[in-house]
Amino acid sequence: MARTPAPRRVLGRLPLPERTFVADALRTETVGGVLLLIAAIAALVWANTPLAGGYDALRDFHIGPASLGLDLSLQHWAADGLLAIFFFVAGIELKRELVAGELRDPKAAALPVIAAVCGMAVPALVYVLVTTLGGGSLDGWAVPTATDIAFALAVLAVIGTSLPSALRAFLLTLAVVDDLFAIIIIAIFFTSELNFAALGGAFLGLAVFWLLLRKGVRGWYVYVPLALVIWGLMYNSGVHATIAGVAMGLMLRCTRREGEEHSPGEHIEHLVRPLSAGFAVPLFALFSAGVSLSGGAIGEVFTRPETLGVVLGLVVGKAVGIFGGTWLAARFTKAELNEDLAWPDVFAVATLAGIGFTVSLLIGELAFAGDPALTDEIKAAVLIGSLIAAIFATVLLKLRVRVYRALYEAEERDEDEDGIPDVYEEGNPEYHLRMAAIHERKAAEHRRLAEVAGASQGDADRPA
């Protein structure tokens, strides 16, 4: 008689290699998120003091070869150049998820994909509804659709590290899929007039990049100059230059061959991720987050339809979309929620995904490029919406912190001290033999201590 396959657990325990990878990635992203937070605060303080003129002058300072079409302001270098590094890492993450992570299995991939799609569609619908009713511009519909994984993980770092790895991995995988759709939105909806000669040159450069990878050619001195040429051609083509970073990231091999400890994609991601999280993204935040937050400007965020749509999209749309998508996936598929978790846990993480910073600021700049005043107001709305989402998520997660701590401690327990958590060894006969020996040693130690204590008591009771 055929056995009925066990239902797939939503947010269940990760395989050990995936858990190790997620833990390593989260450490770097969390540090980067803290730096991102510091850079954003520094930009806001700088832009709202008497030194604001210096901030504007630095942000608008132009540098670069005009003959190559690259005479850009520092703000544009950060948005178009440094964020290409961020999207390069995002491309590697996506490739790894597709070949070795949660997205390699279509059934397992369905949950984060559905959650991410709903988590982008609902905020866009919220924005469209608010701006339609208020008579505002629909151009910013894509602003509240993005999740900033570094900022979200920075909030987690402040709240505590006791969140179960399954929930953290869900947030990370969700953000990877979210980045993919954000890239597609930027490529389709925010591409200016195309320069087909430059675009053809960029595609030719990507073909050379791919061929060198297939031939096993090594050396940063080959790939870095080629990557810069591809980026420059992509920028001049009219397609947003960050697309070049994604394309190159997706070309890297992320599967290990015999004798390899790490795949080329994993190795390069390990090298580049600190540069992205610790330098590129914080510097982008420094040049993009500096907006005026006077009392009047904050008031306008909640009265102007475009900015109100962004705030409600991030705070309400993200939470409802991701939670609703996850619930629908569990309701209409064979997936079941992990018995150790409750739906309020999923809602708390969905609320945390409402922190849309890096990509939301980028899309805001692209959507309202011809209106600097509205661009600043949209940025203020992104900052305020992200702050509200972070506060709500903090409250919701703190309400369950005792439950999370118990789950985390059970997940991390390693009584046999072999470096592998016990939950991954419970079905291994050798593990049970080791544990029996450990328990026998502990029992023998307790008996010995009891005998010593009894002998000491006997000596004390013996008359002098």
Side-chain angles (χ1 to χ4, degrees):
M1 182 176 178
R3 295 178 60 186
T4 303
R8 173 176 172 78
R9 294 289 179 189
V10 176
L11 305 179
R13 190 168 67 237
L14 299 173
L16 184 58
E18 183 73 5
R19 177 182 179 275
T20 303
F21 172 82
V22 168
D24 292 340
L26 289 175
R27 286 190 197 100
T28 305
E29 290 286 8
T30 300
V31 174
V34 173
L35 293 176
L36 173 62
L37 184 59
I38 293 172
I41 293 173
L44 286 171
V45 172
W46 194 354
N48 288 276
T49 64
L51 300 176
Y55 175 81
D56 292 335
L58 178 64
R59 184 172 59 178
D60 297 333
F61 180 76
H62 277 62
I63 189 173
S67 59
L68 299 178
L70 297 176
D71 181 18
L72 309 176
S73 67
L74 291 181
Q75 183 180 11
H76 277 109
W77 275 112
D80 294 310
L82 293 179
L83 278 195
I85 301 174
F86 167 79
F87 279 105
F88 175 70
V89 174
I92 300 176
E93 286 180 334
L94 178 61
K95 178 66 173 290
R96 189 197 168 278
E97 289 292 332
L98 289 170
V99 301
E102 285 285 290
L103 302 182
R104 70 187 185 281
D105 178 7
K107 293 181 180 179
L111 178 66
V113 170
I114 292 173
V117 170
C118 293
M120 299 186 80
V122 175
L125 290 174
V126 169
Y127 178 91
V128 170
L129 178 63
V130 172
T131 52
T132 300
L133 294 176
S137 171
L138 297 178
D139 292 344
W141 64 270
V143 175
T145 61
T147 293
D148 192 301
I149 184 60
F151 225 142
L153 293 175
V155 172
L156 285 184
V158 174
I159 296 171
T161 58
S162 59
L163 197 66
S165 62
L167 277 174
R168 297 165 71 89
F170 175 70
L171 180 62
L172 184 63
T173 305
L174 182 76
V176 170
V177 179
D178 189 289
D179 284 342
L180 170 64
F181 287 112
I183 292 160
I184 294 173
I185 288 173
I186 292 171
I188 295 176
F189 297 100
F190 298 103
T191 295
S192 56
E193 295 182 5
L194 293 178
N195 181 331
F196 288 101
L199 185 61
F203 278 121
L204 179 60
L206 288 171
V208 173
F209 189 88
W210 178 84
L211 184 62
L212 292 174
L213 289 173
R214 297 288 80 75
K215 294 293 185 181
V217 176
R218 298 193 176 191
W220 64 267
Y221 46 83
V222 174
Y223 290 102
V224 172
L226 179 58
L228 292 174
V229 170
I230 294 171
W231 176 87
L233 289 169
M234 190 70 75
Y235 177 84
N236 282 285
S237 72
V239 178
H240 200 268
T242 54
I243 304 300
V246 178
M248 286 183 280
L250 286 170
M251 290 182 181
L252 294 175
R253 176 170 60 83
C254 292
T255 53
R256 301 177 188 178
R257 292 175 179 170
E258 187 175 354
E260 285 185 339
E261 185 177 356
H262 302 287
S263 67
E266 290 173 319
H267 177 66
I268 294 174
E269 181 186 13
H270 178 73
L271 295 176
V272 179
R273 185 188 286 274
L275 178 63
S276 169
F279 176 74
V281 176
L283 204 57
F284 167 78
L286 181 65
F287 287 120
S288 295
V291 295
S292 174
L293 290 179
S294 62
I298 294 176
E300 289 181 2
V301 166
F302 295 98
T303 57
R304 184 159 184 163
E306 294 90 347
T307 51
L308 181 60
V310 169
V311 172
L312 292 178
L314 290 171
V315 177
V316 178
K318 273 288 183 181
V320 172
I322 293 173
F323 177 82
T326 306
W327 184 86
L328 288 172
R331 175 67 177 81
F332 295 105
T333 68
K334 295 181 179 180
E336 294 182 3
L337 184 67
N338 183 1
E339 64 271 13
D340 292 329
L341 300 174
W343 283 110
D345 302 322
V346 181
F347 186 75
V349 174
T351 303
L352 190 61
I355 301 175
F357 190 80
T358 306
V359 181
S360 289
L361 290 177
L362 175 62
I363 294 177
E365 291 180 358
L366 297 174
F368 299 103
D371 190 342
L374 183 54
T375 299
D376 282 348
E377 292 175 4
I378 290 292
K379 289 181 179 181
V382 170
L383 296 174
I384 292 172
S386 298
L387 177 62
I388 295 173
I391 293 172
F392 281 173
T394 300
V395 172
L396 293 173
L397 290 169
K398 281 293 186 181
L399 291 175
R400 295 273 293 172
V401 70
R402 291 184 180 178
V403 177
Y404 294 147
R405 187 176 293 118
L407 291 173
Y408 181 80
E409 290 173 355
E411 197 175 75
E412 294 294 317
R413 187 176 296 116
D414 183 19
E415 292 190 27
D416 57 350
E417 299 180 352
D418 64 347
I420 300 175
D422 296 338
V423 292
Y424 291 94
E425 299 184 289
E426 291 173 351
N428 185 352
E430 294 183 2
Y431 164 75
H432 293 289
L433 292 175
R434 289 199 304 271
M435 290 306 299
I438 290 172
H439 291 154
E440 178 59 32
R441 286 200 303 271
K442 288 181 178 179
E445 181 66 17
H446 288 156
R447 288 195 298 270
R448 188 184 68 80
L449 292 174
E451 291 172 358
V452 171
S456 299
Q457 184 63 37
D459 291 340
D461 293 340
R462 186 178 304 150

